[in-house]
């Protein structure tokens, strides 16, 4: 006798994926193509070294705020200093608010 179940509890559905079509020859061919492409990429690694200098500053050039700070001559340390100063000002403002209004 079941104490609290008035009906039979169903088991959860299980995932059962059956592929519609699978071609082992096509899969083997794609694997061979990937192998050949990897081998060709190994030969092209020398060419990738030439692209590194052009990639290095491309993110900064893509964003307006970083481009402006770079034009002003700001460094990463300057940005960290400005962020810390902003956090300090916010902390002081929260303390002053707490003293004046909440206490």
């Amino acid at each position: 006798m079941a104490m609290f179940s008035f009906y039979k509890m169903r088991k959860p559905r299980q995932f059962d994926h059956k592929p519609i079509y699978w071609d082992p020859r096509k899969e083997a061919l794609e694997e061979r193509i990937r192998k050949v492409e990897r081998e060709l990429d190994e030969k092209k690694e020398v060419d990738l070294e030439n692209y590194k200098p052009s990639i290095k500053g491309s993110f900064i050039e893509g964003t307006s705020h970083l481009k402006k700070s770079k034009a002003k001559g700001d460094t990463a340390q300057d940005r960290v200093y400005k962020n810390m100063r902003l956090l300090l000002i916010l902390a002081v403002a929260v303390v002053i608010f707490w003293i004046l209004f909440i206490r």
Side-chain angles (χ1 to χ4, degrees), residues 60-75:
I60 291 176
E61 294 300 320
T63 57
S64 61
H65 64 283
L66 288 177
K67 195 185 303 184
K68 288 177 187 174
S69 70
K70 183 180 177 184
K72 284 193 277 183
D74 290 346
T75 62

Side-chain angles (χ1 to χ4, degrees), residues 91-103:
V92 169
V94 167
V95 168
I96 291 172
F97 176 80
W98 183 74
I99 289 172
L100 293 177
F101 294 106
I102 296 179
R103 256 177 135 188

Side-chain angles (χ1 to χ4, degrees), residues 27-49:
E27 191 171 301
L29 177 64
E30 288 173 354
E31 181 61 33
R32 282 185 274 160
I33 290 172
R34 276 188 242 124
K35 270 186 181 180
V36 170
E37 286 175 349
R38 272 187 255 135
E39 289 174 3
L40 290 175
D41 286 341
E42 289 174 2
K43 292 177 183 176
K44 290 182 182 179
E45 282 185 29
V46 177
D47 295 338
L48 292 178
E49 295 296 326

Side-chain angles (χ1 to χ4, degrees), residues 79-93:
R79 287 191 299 272
V80 169
Y81 173 73
K82 288 177 182 178
N83 288 337
M84 293 301 288
R85 187 175 61 188
L86 178 66
L87 288 174
L88 181 65
I89 290 170
L90 285 174
V92 169

Side-chain angles (χ1 to χ4, degrees), residues 44-58:
K44 290 182 182 179
E45 282 185 29
V46 177
D47 295 338
L48 292 178
E49 295 296 326
N50 298 332
Y51 290 116
K52 284 184 181 179
S54 65
I55 293 174
K56 189 174 183 180
S58 63

